[in-house]
Amino acid sequence: MRALLDVPNEELQSWLKARGQPPMRVRQLRRWLLLGRAESFEQMTDLPRELRQLLMEEYLPLGIQIARHLVAGDETHKLLLRLQDGQLVECVLIQEAGRHTACISTQVGCGMGCLFCASGLNGVARNLTAGEILEQLIRLRNLLPVDGRLTHIVVMGMGEPLANLDNLLQALEVAGSKDGLGIGARHITISTVGLPAKIRRLAELGKQYQLAVSLHAPNDVVRMHIVPTTEKTGLQAILAAADYFFERTGRQVTYEYVLLRSINDSVAHAKELAGLLTGRQAHVNLIPFNDVEGLPYARPTDHDLQAFVNELRRGGISVKVRKRKGSEIDAACGQLRRSSLKEEAQALAVGTGRL
Ligand code: SAH
């Protein structure tokens, strides 16, 4: 059965019309899901009983099941979601300083294959639909107290957002609208491995979305070892597209840089990075590597991290180190899904007597 969030307005309207219902029902239904926090048709008490029955026979109000819900001591919530076809994705609610930030996924898995990232270890299975992207926001918002609302969105969960741009934009449109979730574009950050043509398209939308680019290295040689897409798309093409984004939107670009011990974390790397970004309206977000079981990487020592930061600052670059949130619940992208898949595989093996 299809979830209502994935049914286009026109289609829903004609379905309702065929059942003698006025067009305003579309808005009414959307309001229940987006603002009224309804998770079933029964809860939509101002709809005629017979209509609720018909809806129940045809559609699901929401289409995703919560497979696991973990809460960390710092109030970070993580949901492992089971989609209708059984696939698993993750999303996270991060709460600090009055902000309620949703971190959402755009694909099942990821096709970019960054070597340090848990999401891409098994490639990409499929794009999420606009409804599935939107439902992550609704599910996370429904965790907040009744008067609470999401203030920010970071598209930094599983998947490469710009590889699923149409569906993402459709979902963000609803998230941003006043009769949707009301989250302003300036509070929405889209993070990409660096797909220049799509960055340019984003620049031309006339929206105020924030762009974050995953640089991870100060030159193509180092980047090639950890971000395989570098072979096709070198840093210069990515930076040129990001510059264009800044020219068109006036929005400062954030460059993300995962710090991996002895791979890209030396003072020389920092110096080269500062050189690359000098003259650009850029901000650097350093992310010390989050452990992924089975991967041969480590975070830098505190000393090396500080030296890296100091060197960037000396070069006049604005820099922040990303704080670790919800580490005890595998909050980094793709990790919970991975451990869950592993548990399932083990359970299956037990069931079939293979362990
Ligand atoms: N595909 C998008 C979104 C990825 S998730 C992109 O490439 O930007 C957001 C950020 O987390 C990216 O910069 C990604 O490289 C980084 N990341 C992935 N795995 C990580 C890990 N194990 N530790 C720290 N950062 C990681």
Side-chain angles (χ1 to χ4, degrees), residues 295-344:
L295 294 188
Y297 301 104
R299 33 202 304 123
T301 62
D302 289 347
H303 173 271
D304 287 352
L305 171 59
Q306 200 50 53
F308 200 95
V309 170
N310 292 345
E311 185 60 36
L312 284 180
R313 295 219 165 110
R314 219 190 326 273
I317 306 294
S318 145
V319 54
K320 245 200 212 140
V321 179
R322 189 175 299 170
K323 270 189 270 163
R324 217 165 173 202
K325 307 293 289 178
S327 51
E328 75 269 34
I329 56 166
D330 282 350
C333 57
Q335 305 216 41
L336 179 61
R337 168 175 178 258
R338 211 163 155 251
S339 49
S340 254
L341 287 173
K342 213 159 104 187
E343 276 167 27
E344 272 178 22

mmCIF file of all heavy atoms in Angstrom, residues 295-344:
data_model
loop_
_atom_site.group_PDB
_atom_site.id
_atom_site.type_symbol
_atom_site.label_atom_id
_atom_site.label_comp_id
_atom_site.label_asym_id
_atom_site.label_seq_id
_atom_site.Cartn_x
_atom_site.Cartn_y
_atom_site.Cartn_z
ATOM 1 N N LEU A 295 37.059 -0.939 9.981
ATOM 2 C CA LEU A 295 37.820 -0.042 9.110
ATOM 3 C C LEU A 295 39.139 0.363 9.763
ATOM 4 O O LEU A 295 39.197 0.592 10.967
ATOM 5 C CB LEU A 295 36.999 1.210 8.763
ATOM 6 C CG LEU A 295 35.742 0.986 7.917
ATOM 7 C CD1 LEU A 295 35.141 2.322 7.498
ATOM 8 C CD2 LEU A 295 36.041 0.137 6.685
ATOM 9 N N PRO A 296 40.182 0.465 8.948
ATOM 10 C CA PRO A 296 41.534 0.643 9.498
ATOM 11 C C PRO A 296 41.913 2.092 9.741
ATOM 12 O O PRO A 296 43.043 2.481 9.497
ATOM 13 C CB PRO A 296 42.403 0.057 8.377
ATOM 14 C CG PRO A 296 41.649 0.419 7.139
ATOM 15 C CD PRO A 296 40.194 0.358 7.487
ATOM 16 N N TYR A 297 40.950 2.929 10.176
ATOM 17 C CA TYR A 297 41.273 4.340 10.390
ATOM 18 C C TYR A 297 41.166 4.706 11.864
ATOM 19 O O TYR A 297 40.488 4.024 12.626
ATOM 20 C CB TYR A 297 40.327 5.235 9.581
ATOM 21 C CG TYR A 297 40.396 4.966 8.100
ATOM 22 C CD1 TYR A 297 39.391 4.243 7.462
ATOM 23 C CD2 TYR A 297 41.481 5.414 7.346
ATOM 24 C CE1 TYR A 297 39.460 3.974 6.104
ATOM 25 C CE2 TYR A 297 41.560 5.143 5.982
ATOM 26 C CZ TYR A 297 40.547 4.426 5.376
ATOM 27 O OH TYR A 297 40.625 4.151 4.042
ATOM 28 N N ALA A 298 41.823 5.801 12.219
ATOM 29 C CA ALA A 298 41.747 6.292 13.605
ATOM 30 C C ALA A 298 41.608 7.807 13.590
ATOM 31 O O ALA A 298 41.967 8.453 12.602
ATOM 32 C CB ALA A 298 43.004 5.894 14.366
ATOM 33 N N ARG A 299 41.063 8.370 14.693
ATOM 34 C CA ARG A 299 41.014 9.825 14.771
ATOM 35 C C ARG A 299 42.399 10.346 15.117
ATOM 36 O O ARG A 299 43.230 9.603 15.642
ATOM 37 C CB ARG A 299 39.966 10.305 15.783
ATOM 38 C CG ARG A 299 39.797 9.413 16.953
ATOM 39 C CD ARG A 299 38.489 9.504 17.706
ATOM 40 N NE ARG A 299 38.105 10.806 18.203
ATOM 41 C CZ ARG A 299 36.949 11.385 17.880
ATOM 42 N NH1 ARG A 299 36.121 10.798 17.054
ATOM 43 N NH2 ARG A 299 36.627 12.517 18.398
ATOM 44 N N PRO A 300 42.646 11.598 14.804
ATOM 45 C CA PRO A 300 43.974 12.138 15.113
ATOM 46 C C PRO A 300 44.170 12.235 16.620
ATOM 47 O O PRO A 300 43.187 12.216 17.365
ATOM 48 C CB PRO A 300 43.926 13.540 14.492
ATOM 49 C CG PRO A 300 42.497 13.869 14.336
ATOM 50 C CD PRO A 300 41.757 12.581 14.179
ATOM 51 N N THR A 301 45.406 12.351 17.057
ATOM 52 C CA THR A 301 45.648 12.615 18.480
ATOM 53 C C THR A 301 45.162 14.037 18.770
ATOM 54 O O THR A 301 45.050 14.862 17.854
ATOM 55 C CB THR A 301 47.155 12.549 18.801
ATOM 56 O OG1 THR A 301 47.800 13.581 18.040
ATOM 57 C CG2 THR A 301 47.754 11.202 18.414
ATOM 58 N N ASP A 302 44.884 14.322 20.043
ATOM 59 C CA ASP A 302 44.435 15.673 20.418
ATOM 60 C C ASP A 302 45.477 16.709 20.008
ATOM 61 O O ASP A 302 45.145 17.803 19.556
ATOM 62 C CB ASP A 302 44.189 15.758 21.925
ATOM 63 C CG ASP A 302 42.941 14.979 22.324
ATOM 64 O OD1 ASP A 302 42.168 14.607 21.410
ATOM 65 O OD2 ASP A 302 42.755 14.729 23.528
ATOM 66 N N HIS A 303 46.721 16.329 20.176
ATOM 67 C CA HIS A 303 47.813 17.249 19.832
ATOM 68 C C HIS A 303 47.790 17.582 18.342
ATOM 69 O O HIS A 303 47.859 18.745 17.935
ATOM 70 C CB HIS A 303 49.160 16.626 20.238
ATOM 71 C CG HIS A 303 50.338 17.423 19.778
ATOM 72 N ND1 HIS A 303 50.930 17.219 18.535
ATOM 73 C CD2 HIS A 303 50.998 18.460 20.356
ATOM 74 C CE1 HIS A 303 51.909 18.076 18.376
ATOM 75 N NE2 HIS A 303 51.978 18.842 19.472
ATOM 76 N N ASP A 304 47.654 16.564 17.511
ATOM 77 C CA ASP A 304 47.649 16.797 16.061
ATOM 78 C C ASP A 304 46.403 17.579 15.620
ATOM 79 O O ASP A 304 46.462 18.412 14.716
ATOM 80 C CB ASP A 304 47.719 15.471 15.303
ATOM 81 C CG ASP A 304 49.119 14.856 15.392
ATOM 82 O OD1 ASP A 304 50.027 15.538 15.903
ATOM 83 O OD2 ASP A 304 49.283 13.689 14.966
ATOM 84 N N LEU A 305 45.285 17.279 16.277
ATOM 85 C CA LEU A 305 44.047 17.991 15.947
ATOM 86 C C LEU A 305 44.227 19.487 16.231
ATOM 87 O O LEU A 305 43.915 20.347 15.400
ATOM 88 C CB LEU A 305 42.887 17.428 16.782
ATOM 89 C CG LEU A 305 41.558 18.184 16.728
ATOM 90 C CD1 LEU A 305 41.023 18.250 15.311
ATOM 91 C CD2 LEU A 305 40.512 17.515 17.629
ATOM 92 N N GLN A 306 44.792 19.792 17.417
ATOM 93 C CA GLN A 306 44.979 21.196 17.784
ATOM 94 C C GLN A 306 45.953 21.889 16.843
ATOM 95 O O GLN A 306 45.736 23.029 16.426
ATOM 96 C CB GLN A 306 45.463 21.282 19.244
ATOM 97 C CG GLN A 306 45.227 22.640 19.878
ATOM 98 C CD GLN A 306 43.792 23.139 19.684
ATOM 99 O OE1 GLN A 306 42.840 22.447 20.000
ATOM 100 N NE2 GLN A 306 43.623 24.346 19.102
ATOM 101 N N ALA A 307 47.011 21.170 16.472
ATOM 102 C CA ALA A 307 48.005 21.751 15.569
ATOM 103 C C ALA A 307 47.367 22.037 14.199
ATOM 104 O O ALA A 307 47.654 23.055 13.559
ATOM 105 C CB ALA A 307 49.188 20.786 15.410
ATOM 106 N N PHE A 308 46.473 21.159 13.774
ATOM 107 C CA PHE A 308 45.783 21.328 12.490
ATOM 108 C C PHE A 308 44.908 22.588 12.529
ATOM 109 O O PHE A 308 44.941 23.427 11.626
ATOM 110 C CB PHE A 308 44.926 20.086 12.203
ATOM 111 C CG PHE A 308 44.542 19.905 10.762
ATOM 112 C CD1 PHE A 308 45.287 19.092 9.920
ATOM 113 C CD2 PHE A 308 43.423 20.553 10.244
ATOM 114 C CE1 PHE A 308 44.924 18.909 8.578
ATOM 115 C CE2 PHE A 308 43.056 20.384 8.914
ATOM 116 C CZ PHE A 308 43.808 19.564 8.076
ATOM 117 N N VAL A 309 44.159 22.701 13.632
ATOM 118 C CA VAL A 309 43.276 23.865 13.803
ATOM 119 C C VAL A 309 44.109 25.150 13.819
ATOM 120 O O VAL A 309 43.790 26.131 13.122
ATOM 121 C CB VAL A 309 42.469 23.739 15.122
ATOM 122 C CG1 VAL A 309 41.743 25.037 15.444
ATOM 123 C CG2 VAL A 309 41.488 22.582 15.039
ATOM 124 N N ASN A 310 45.190 25.131 14.606
ATOM 125 C CA ASN A 310 46.035 26.327 14.720
ATOM 126 C C ASN A 310 46.588 26.759 13.367
ATOM 127 O O ASN A 310 46.616 27.937 13.050
ATOM 128 C CB ASN A 310 47.199 26.070 15.689
ATOM 129 C CG ASN A 310 46.700 25.910 17.123
ATOM 130 O OD1 ASN A 310 45.554 26.253 17.426
ATOM 131 N ND2 ASN A 310 47.549 25.362 17.978
ATOM 132 N N GLU A 311 47.010 25.785 12.590
ATOM 133 C CA GLU A 311 47.600 26.108 11.296
ATOM 134 C C GLU A 311 46.561 26.750 10.359
ATOM 135 O O GLU A 311 46.856 27.716 9.647
ATOM 136 C CB GLU A 311 48.189 24.828 10.654
ATOM 137 C CG GLU A 311 48.946 25.058 9.361
ATOM 138 C CD GLU A 311 50.150 25.995 9.533
ATOM 139 O OE1 GLU A 311 50.810 25.935 10.602
ATOM 140 O OE2 GLU A 311 50.419 26.797 8.609
ATOM 141 N N LEU A 312 45.330 26.226 10.395
ATOM 142 C CA LEU A 312 44.274 26.818 9.557
ATOM 143 C C LEU A 312 43.994 28.243 10.011
ATOM 144 O O LEU A 312 43.862 29.157 9.197
ATOM 145 C CB LEU A 312 42.992 25.984 9.624
ATOM 146 C CG LEU A 312 42.961 24.682 8.824
ATOM 147 C CD1 LEU A 312 41.608 23.989 9.003
ATOM 148 C CD2 LEU A 312 43.197 24.931 7.337
ATOM 149 N N ARG A 313 43.917 28.437 11.331
ATOM 150 C CA ARG A 313 43.632 29.782 11.863
ATOM 151 C C ARG A 313 44.750 30.747 11.473
ATOM 152 O O ARG A 313 44.496 31.886 11.097
ATOM 153 C CB ARG A 313 43.484 29.740 13.388
ATOM 154 C CG ARG A 313 42.278 28.934 13.813
ATOM 155 C CD ARG A 313 41.529 29.535 15.005
ATOM 156 N NE ARG A 313 40.214 28.901 15.106
ATOM 157 C CZ ARG A 313 39.846 28.064 16.073
ATOM 158 N NH1 ARG A 313 40.674 27.803 17.072
ATOM 159 N NH2 ARG A 313 38.646 27.520 16.078
ATOM 160 N N ARG A 314 45.999 30.252 11.562
ATOM 161 C CA ARG A 314 47.127 31.088 11.158
ATOM 162 C C ARG A 314 46.973 31.532 9.708
ATOM 163 O O ARG A 314 47.341 32.619 9.330
ATOM 164 C CB ARG A 314 48.442 30.306 11.328
ATOM 165 C CG ARG A 314 49.579 31.159 11.846
ATOM 166 C CD ARG A 314 50.939 30.491 11.798
ATOM 167 N NE ARG A 314 50.959 29.056 12.022
ATOM 168 C CZ ARG A 314 51.030 28.476 13.229
ATOM 169 N NH1 ARG A 314 51.091 29.211 14.312
ATOM 170 N NH2 ARG A 314 51.064 27.173 13.340
ATOM 171 N N GLY A 315 46.400 30.647 8.900
ATOM 172 C CA GLY A 315 46.184 30.966 7.494
ATOM 173 C C GLY A 315 44.935 31.819 7.267
ATOM 174 O O GLY A 315 44.536 32.062 6.127
ATOM 175 N N GLY A 316 44.295 32.228 8.366
ATOM 176 C CA GLY A 316 43.132 33.116 8.228
ATOM 177 C C GLY A 316 41.839 32.405 7.870
ATOM 178 O O GLY A 316 40.874 33.010 7.404
ATOM 179 N N ILE A 317 41.805 31.096 8.096
ATOM 180 C CA ILE A 317 40.613 30.324 7.728
ATOM 181 C C ILE A 317 39.712 30.144 8.950
ATOM 182 O O ILE A 317 40.183 29.793 10.030
ATOM 183 C CB ILE A 317 41.012 28.926 7.187
ATOM 184 C CG1 ILE A 317 42.006 29.041 6.035
ATOM 185 C CG2 ILE A 317 39.784 28.117 6.777
ATOM 186 C CD1 ILE A 317 41.470 29.677 4.783
ATOM 187 N N SER A 318 38.426 30.358 8.751
ATOM 188 C CA SER A 318 37.453 30.151 9.825
ATOM 189 C C SER A 318 37.222 28.642 9.982
ATOM 190 O O SER A 318 36.942 27.944 9.009
ATOM 191 C CB SER A 318 36.165 30.895 9.443
ATOM 192 O OG SER A 318 35.030 30.205 9.872
ATOM 193 N N VAL A 319 37.365 28.147 11.206
ATOM 194 C CA VAL A 319 37.327 26.693 11.395
ATOM 195 C C VAL A 319 36.645 26.303 12.704
ATOM 196 O O VAL A 319 36.730 27.009 13.703
ATOM 197 C CB VAL A 319 38.767 26.097 11.327
ATOM 198 C CG1 VAL A 319 39.690 26.777 12.303
ATOM 199 C CG2 VAL A 319 38.761 24.592 11.597
ATOM 200 N N LYS A 320 35.944 25.177 12.648
ATOM 201 C CA LYS A 320 35.288 24.624 13.832
ATOM 202 C C LYS A 320 35.525 23.117 13.844
ATOM 203 O O LYS A 320 35.603 22.501 12.787
ATOM 204 C CB LYS A 320 33.777 24.843 13.724
ATOM 205 C CG LYS A 320 33.226 25.769 14.783
ATOM 206 C CD LYS A 320 31.739 25.559 14.931
ATOM 207 C CE LYS A 320 31.067 26.862 15.311
ATOM 208 N NZ LYS A 320 29.814 27.076 14.647
ATOM 209 N N VAL A 321 35.603 22.549 15.042
ATOM 210 C CA VAL A 321 35.704 21.093 15.137
ATOM 211 C C VAL A 321 34.328 20.572 15.506
ATOM 212 O O VAL A 321 33.727 21.046 16.472
ATOM 213 C CB VAL A 321 36.725 20.665 16.221
ATOM 214 C CG1 VAL A 321 36.801 19.144 16.317
ATOM 215 C CG2 VAL A 321 38.086 21.263 15.904
ATOM 216 N N ARG A 322 33.820 19.640 14.715
ATOM 217 C CA ARG A 322 32.473 19.146 15.011
ATOM 218 C C ARG A 322 32.472 18.329 16.289
ATOM 219 O O ARG A 322 33.298 17.434 16.476
ATOM 220 C CB ARG A 322 31.941 18.306 13.852
ATOM 221 C CG ARG A 322 30.457 17.975 14.067
ATOM 222 C CD ARG A 322 29.844 17.256 12.905
ATOM 223 N NE ARG A 322 29.884 18.058 11.681
ATOM 224 C CZ ARG A 322 29.571 17.555 10.494
ATOM 225 N NH1 ARG A 322 29.216 16.302 10.373
ATOM 226 N NH2 ARG A 322 29.625 18.318 9.425
ATOM 227 N N LYS A 323 31.499 18.661 17.146
ATOM 228 C CA LYS A 323 31.377 17.928 18.410
ATOM 229 C C LYS A 323 30.764 16.568 18.148
ATOM 230 O O LYS A 323 29.959 16.400 17.249
ATOM 231 C CB LYS A 323 30.502 18.715 19.389
ATOM 232 C CG LYS A 323 31.308 19.662 20.253
ATOM 233 C CD LYS A 323 30.447 20.251 21.351
ATOM 234 C CE LYS A 323 29.794 21.524 20.865
ATOM 235 N NZ LYS A 323 28.671 21.991 21.619
ATOM 236 N N ARG A 324 31.114 15.646 18.978
ATOM 237 C CA ARG A 324 30.582 14.309 18.833
ATOM 238 C C ARG A 324 29.248 14.217 19.548
ATOM 239 O O ARG A 324 29.145 14.559 20.715
ATOM 240 C CB ARG A 324 31.568 13.350 19.478
ATOM 241 C CG ARG A 324 31.665 12.094 18.731
ATOM 242 C CD ARG A 324 32.875 11.340 19.163
ATOM 243 N NE ARG A 324 32.791 10.059 18.514
ATOM 244 C CZ ARG A 324 33.405 8.999 18.941
ATOM 245 N NH1 ARG A 324 34.146 9.070 20.013
ATOM 246 N NH2 ARG A 324 33.269 7.867 18.295
ATOM 247 N N LYS A 325 28.205 13.797 18.860
ATOM 248 C CA LYS A 325 26.899 13.666 19.494
ATOM 249 C C LYS A 325 26.457 12.205 19.466
ATOM 250 O O LYS A 325 26.672 11.511 18.483
ATOM 251 C CB LYS A 325 25.843 14.505 18.759
ATOM 252 C CG LYS A 325 26.204 15.957 18.560
ATOM 253 C CD LYS A 325 26.265 16.733 19.853
ATOM 254 C CE LYS A 325 24.904 16.943 20.453
ATOM 255 N NZ LYS A 325 25.008 17.662 21.736
ATOM 256 N N GLY A 326 25.856 11.795 20.567
ATOM 257 C CA GLY A 326 25.240 10.468 20.609
ATOM 258 C C GLY A 326 26.177 9.327 20.260
ATOM 259 O O GLY A 326 25.769 8.351 19.654
ATOM 260 N N SER A 327 27.455 9.444 20.682
ATOM 261 C CA SER A 327 28.418 8.424 20.244
ATOM 262 C C SER A 327 28.052 7.033 20.755
ATOM 263 O O SER A 327 28.283 6.039 20.083
ATOM 264 C CB SER A 327 29.820 8.809 20.685
ATOM 265 O OG SER A 327 29.820 9.100 22.059
ATOM 266 N N GLU A 328 27.433 6.976 21.974
ATOM 267 C CA GLU A 328 27.142 5.640 22.505
ATOM 268 C C GLU A 328 25.979 4.951 21.793
ATOM 269 O O GLU A 328 25.696 3.790 22.023
ATOM 270 C CB GLU A 328 26.894 5.694 24.026
ATOM 271 C CG GLU A 328 25.560 6.264 24.469
ATOM 272 C CD GLU A 328 25.598 7.768 24.725
ATOM 273 O OE1 GLU A 328 26.348 8.483 24.026
ATOM 274 O OE2 GLU A 328 24.852 8.227 25.606
ATOM 275 N N ILE A 329 25.289 5.667 20.887
ATOM 276 C CA ILE A 329 24.218 4.995 20.140
ATOM 277 C C ILE A 329 24.544 4.909 18.646
ATOM 278 O O ILE A 329 23.670 4.903 17.801
ATOM 279 C CB ILE A 329 22.837 5.679 20.340
ATOM 280 C CG1 ILE A 329 22.898 7.163 19.965
ATOM 281 C CG2 ILE A 329 22.340 5.495 21.773
ATOM 282 C CD1 ILE A 329 21.535 7.809 19.817
ATOM 283 N N ASP A 330 25.829 4.864 18.323
ATOM 284 C CA ASP A 330 26.216 4.737 16.915
ATOM 285 C C ASP A 330 25.601 5.830 16.055
ATOM 286 O O ASP A 330 25.039 5.552 14.995
ATOM 287 C CB ASP A 330 25.735 3.391 16.340
ATOM 288 C CG ASP A 330 26.616 2.233 16.766
ATOM 289 O OD1 ASP A 330 27.687 2.495 17.329
ATOM 290 O OD2 ASP A 330 26.228 1.085 16.517
ATOM 291 N N ALA A 331 25.699 7.093 16.522
ATOM 292 C CA ALA A 331 24.982 8.145 15.789
ATOM 293 C C ALA A 331 25.619 8.497 14.448
ATOM 294 O O ALA A 331 24.973 9.078 13.601
ATOM 295 C CB ALA A 331 24.832 9.399 16.645
ATOM 296 N N ALA A 332 26.867 8.132 14.226
ATOM 297 C CA ALA A 332 27.465 8.474 12.934
ATOM 298 C C ALA A 332 26.776 7.677 11.829
ATOM 299 O O ALA A 332 26.334 6.557 12.035
ATOM 300 C CB ALA A 332 28.955 8.188 12.956
ATOM 301 N N CYS A 333 26.733 8.300 10.664
ATOM 302 C CA CYS A 333 25.865 7.775 9.608
ATOM 303 C C CYS A 333 26.169 6.326 9.221
ATOM 304 O O CYS A 333 27.306 5.930 9.089
ATOM 305 C CB CYS A 333 25.939 8.654 8.374
ATOM 306 S SG CYS A 333 27.596 8.853 7.740
ATOM 307 N N GLY A 334 25.110 5.571 9.072
ATOM 308 C CA GLY A 334 25.240 4.227 8.535
ATOM 309 C C GLY A 334 25.648 3.158 9.535
ATOM 310 O O GLY A 334 25.622 1.975 9.234
ATOM 311 N N GLN A 335 26.010 3.577 10.761
ATOM 312 C CA GLN A 335 26.576 2.593 11.679
ATOM 313 C C GLN A 335 25.538 1.696 12.328
ATOM 314 O O GLN A 335 25.749 0.509 12.501
ATOM 315 C CB GLN A 335 27.355 3.310 12.768
ATOM 316 C CG GLN A 335 28.399 4.218 12.200
ATOM 317 C CD GLN A 335 29.635 4.223 13.063
ATOM 318 O OE1 GLN A 335 30.052 3.184 13.533
ATOM 319 N NE2 GLN A 335 30.209 5.361 13.263
ATOM 320 N N LEU A 336 24.397 2.299 12.674
ATOM 321 C CA LEU A 336 23.374 1.509 13.345
ATOM 322 C C LEU A 336 22.785 0.497 12.358
ATOM 323 O O LEU A 336 22.551 -0.655 12.683
ATOM 324 C CB LEU A 336 22.272 2.427 13.877
ATOM 325 C CG LEU A 336 21.135 1.718 14.591
ATOM 326 C CD1 LEU A 336 21.641 0.977 15.805
ATOM 327 C CD2 LEU A 336 20.062 2.713 15.010
ATOM 328 N N ARG A 337 22.556 0.966 11.134
ATOM 329 C CA ARG A 337 22.004 0.080 10.114
ATOM 330 C C ARG A 337 22.950 -1.099 9.912
ATOM 331 O O ARG A 337 22.536 -2.247 9.837
ATOM 332 C CB ARG A 337 21.836 0.848 8.802
ATOM 333 C CG ARG A 337 21.537 -0.040 7.610
ATOM 334 C CD ARG A 337 21.269 0.822 6.390
ATOM 335 N NE ARG A 337 21.016 0.056 5.194
ATOM 336 C CZ ARG A 337 21.912 -0.141 4.242
ATOM 337 N NH1 ARG A 337 23.135 0.342 4.370
ATOM 338 N NH2 ARG A 337 21.601 -0.824 3.163
ATOM 339 N N ARG A 338 24.236 -0.774 9.899
ATOM 340 C CA ARG A 338 25.220 -1.795 9.659
ATOM 341 C C ARG A 338 25.214 -2.833 10.780
ATOM 342 O O ARG A 338 25.199 -4.041 10.530
ATOM 343 C CB ARG A 338 26.586 -1.146 9.550
ATOM 344 C CG ARG A 338 27.453 -1.911 8.634
ATOM 345 C CD ARG A 338 28.625 -1.131 8.173
ATOM 346 N NE ARG A 338 29.640 -2.114 7.826
ATOM 347 C CZ ARG A 338 30.726 -2.312 8.536
ATOM 348 N NH1 ARG A 338 30.961 -1.607 9.608
ATOM 349 N NH2 ARG A 338 31.570 -3.237 8.159
ATOM 350 N N SER A 339 25.197 -2.345 12.029
ATOM 351 C CA SER A 339 25.223 -3.336 13.114
ATOM 352 C C SER A 339 23.921 -4.120 13.139
ATOM 353 O O SER A 339 23.909 -5.301 13.460
ATOM 354 C CB SER A 339 25.553 -2.693 14.458
ATOM 355 O OG SER A 339 24.767 -1.567 14.686
ATOM 356 N N SER A 340 22.815 -3.471 12.758
ATOM 357 C CA SER A 340 21.535 -4.180 12.726
ATOM 358 C C SER A 340 21.516 -5.257 11.642
ATOM 359 O O SER A 340 21.030 -6.361 11.850
ATOM 360 C CB SER A 340 20.409 -3.201 12.430
ATOM 361 O OG SER A 340 19.675 -2.966 13.566
ATOM 362 N N LEU A 341 22.036 -4.902 10.481
ATOM 363 C CA LEU A 341 22.074 -5.878 9.390
ATOM 364 C C LEU A 341 22.920 -7.077 9.793
ATOM 365 O O LEU A 341 22.591 -8.222 9.495
ATOM 366 C CB LEU A 341 22.642 -5.241 8.112
ATOM 367 C CG LEU A 341 21.717 -4.257 7.388
ATOM 368 C CD1 LEU A 341 22.461 -3.576 6.235
ATOM 369 C CD2 LEU A 341 20.467 -4.955 6.857
ATOM 370 N N LYS A 342 23.993 -6.774 10.511
ATOM 371 C CA LYS A 342 24.885 -7.846 10.952
ATOM 372 C C LYS A 342 24.170 -8.765 11.955
ATOM 373 O O LYS A 342 24.240 -9.984 11.840
ATOM 374 C CB LYS A 342 26.131 -7.230 11.588
ATOM 375 C CG LYS A 342 27.357 -8.068 11.354
ATOM 376 C CD LYS A 342 28.597 -7.263 11.518
ATOM 377 C CE LYS A 342 29.242 -7.579 12.843
ATOM 378 N NZ LYS A 342 30.369 -6.704 13.144
ATOM 379 N N GLU A 343 23.450 -8.126 12.892
ATOM 380 C CA GLU A 343 22.699 -8.929 13.865
ATOM 381 C C GLU A 343 21.679 -9.807 13.162
ATOM 382 O O GLU A 343 21.508 -10.970 13.482
ATOM 383 C CB GLU A 343 21.952 -8.016 14.851
ATOM 384 C CG GLU A 343 22.804 -7.549 15.990
ATOM 385 C CD GLU A 343 22.123 -6.408 16.754
ATOM 386 O OE1 GLU A 343 20.883 -6.342 16.752
ATOM 387 O OE2 GLU A 343 22.846 -5.592 17.331
ATOM 388 N N GLU A 344 20.988 -9.207 12.167
ATOM 389 C CA GLU A 344 19.979 -9.969 11.444
ATOM 390 C C GLU A 344 20.612 -11.151 10.722
ATOM 391 O O GLU A 344 20.096 -12.256 10.728
ATOM 392 C CB GLU A 344 19.262 -9.081 10.411
ATOM 393 C CG GLU A 344 18.075 -8.372 11.012
ATOM 394 C CD GLU A 344 17.387 -7.443 10.024
ATOM 395 O OE1 GLU A 344 17.549 -7.641 8.800
ATOM 396 O OE2 GLU A 344 16.696 -6.540 10.483
#
